[in-house]
Amino acid sequence: MNLKRALFPVFCSLFALVSTGCINTHFQKLHMTASEAPEVHGANTYQQPHSASWRVTGKINSNTRRDVKITPETSNSKNKSKESVEPDWLYKMGGVEFTGKADFFYKANSAFLGTGIGYNNGIYHHFSFGGNFSHVEFGFFIGLYHQYFDADYVGEHCEVVLFSDDKCDSFSNESHGLSTSLFGGGFAGLIFGDFFLNYSLSVYAPSPEIEGGSPDLSGIHSNYFTMGYRFHWVEVSAGFVMSLVEGSIASYGFTGGLSFYLN
C-alpha cells in the first residue's frame, strides 16, 4: 500500500508531461527598427593626473537607410506548421538621429575611470576605464542601452507534445516598446596637443520583448572614426561611422557635433 501511494504522484507527473507540452514561439516575419550602437570614447586630450573632468556633447548622426537581412533563430520543434514559409527577418536601420551625452572622468596617475549617460533613440549609460598619456589614450567600456523600437511580425505559437504532432496557432501583430541590451567595446586615440584622432568600437544585440519572449537577434557592431580640435573649453569633432551585422555592412554615414568642458 505504501509503495502504491509513493508511485501514484510519480505516475501523475509523467502523465502530465506526456499529455501536455511546452509552448514554443516561432517568428516567420520580424521587421524591427534598430539603431547603431552608442559611441563611447575617452577624454580626447591629455588630462592632468589626480584631476576630474566633465563634458557635455551634442551630435548629429546621418546614416544610410537600409533594410538589413538577419539570420533567424534556430528552432528545435519537431514539426513546423505545414503553411510555414521561409523566415523573413530584417533590421530597419539608418536615418538622421540627434544624440546627446554627459561624461565624467577621473584620472589617477596614468589610469582613468569614467562614467556617462546619453540619448541615442533611447537612454544608455556606461562605465569606462583605461589609460591616458601625453599622446595616446585607450580604454574599454560596458553599459546598458534602453532603445525604443517598432516591430512588425508574423509567427506561430506551437505546443510541443510527446508522441504527437505539434499544435500551432498563427499570429500577426505590431509592437512598440523599449528594449534593454548590454553593450560594450573599446576605444583608442592619438593626441597632438589640442588635435585628436579617435577610433571606437561599440557592440550590442537588440533584445525586445515580443509575444512574451525575446527573440535571439544578431549583434550590431558600430565603428566610429572621428577627428576633432579643442578650443579651450569647446571641442569640434566630425567623422565617419560604419555598422556591421553578421560581418556585412549594415549602414554607414557621417557623425559630427560639439562638446563643452565644464571644468
Side-chain angles (χ1 to χ4, degrees):
M1 183 65 71
N2 290 336
L3 180 62
K4 289 182 179 180
R5 289 180 179 177
L7 291 177
F8 183 73
V10 177
F11 174 78
C12 291
S13 299
L14 291 174
F15 180 79
L17 287 173
V18 173
S19 59
T20 61
C22 61
I23 302 297
N24 286 338
T25 301
H26 310 292
F27 293 93
Q28 298 161 345
K29 170 189 173 183
L30 178 58
H31 293 183
M32 193 188 83
T33 57
S35 294
E36 290 71 23
E39 180 186 10
V40 178
H41 51 84
N44 295 340
T45 188
Y46 175 69
Q47 187 170 329
Q48 294 296 327
H50 309 290
S51 67
S53 174
W54 290 90
R55 180 177 66 207
V56 177
T57 302
K59 281 194 171 185
I60 297 177
N61 295 339
S62 178
N63 294 280
T64 53
R65 289 189 179 274
R66 295 187 66 183
D67 291 342
V68 183
K69 202 166 187 67
I70 60 176
T71 303
E73 63 186 353
T74 57
S75 171
N76 57 7
S77 64
K78 294 189 304 174
N79 262 328
K80 290 186 178 180
S81 168
K82 293 180 181 179
E83 298 179 356
S84 64
V85 295
E86 186 70 21
D88 176 19
W89 287 31
L90 293 176
Y91 282 152
K92 304 179 77 67
M93 298 183 65
V96 177
E97 293 181 339
F98 295 89
T99 70
K101 190 164 185 279
D103 288 292
F104 171 78
F105 300 99
Y106 177 79
K107 181 179 176 182
N109 292 319
S110 297
F112 72 86
L113 295 174
T115 186
I117 182 170
Y119 176 85
N120 180 17
N121 192 34
I123 302 296
Y124 65 95
H125 43 90
H126 65 84
F127 291 98
S128 59
F129 59 94
N132 178 267
F133 303 92
S134 58
H135 296 294
V136 176
E137 72 171 346
F138 58 88
F140 304 91
F141 58 89
I142 189 169
L144 292 176
Y145 185 18
H146 312 281
Q147 177 186 183
Y148 296 105
F149 73 91
D150 296 318
D152 177 19
Y153 55 89
V154 174
E156 295 176 326
H157 293 304
C158 292
E159 182 180 4
V160 183
V161 183
L162 290 176
F163 312 119
S164 177
D165 291 338
D166 295 355
K167 300 175 183 179
C168 296
D169 295 317
S170 299
F171 59 82
S172 176
N173 208 343
E174 294 182 358
S175 181
H176 316 277
L178 194 65
S179 165
T180 298
S181 306
L182 184 71
F183 84 101
F187 56 85
L190 297 175
I191 302 166
F192 306 98
D194 293 322
F195 179 78
F196 63 87
L197 293 170
N198 267 338
Y199 168 71
S200 174
L201 171 64
S202 186
V203 181
Y204 83 104
S207 54
E209 186 79 14
I210 302 176
E211 292 293 321
S214 183
D216 185 16
L217 300 178
S218 302
I220 297 174
H221 300 65
S222 295
N223 300 267
Y224 292 87
F225 305 87
T226 57
M227 64 178 64
Y229 190 86
R230 182 171 173 177
F231 302 90
H232 189 47
W233 54 273
V234 179
E235 180 182 279
V236 180
S237 64
F240 179 76
V241 54
M242 178 177 64
S243 293
L244 306 178
V245 175
E246 297 180 356
S248 299
I249 297 177
S251 68
Y252 55 89
F254 165 83
T255 179
L258 292 173
S259 297
F260 300 91
Y261 289 81
L262 307 182
N263 59 327

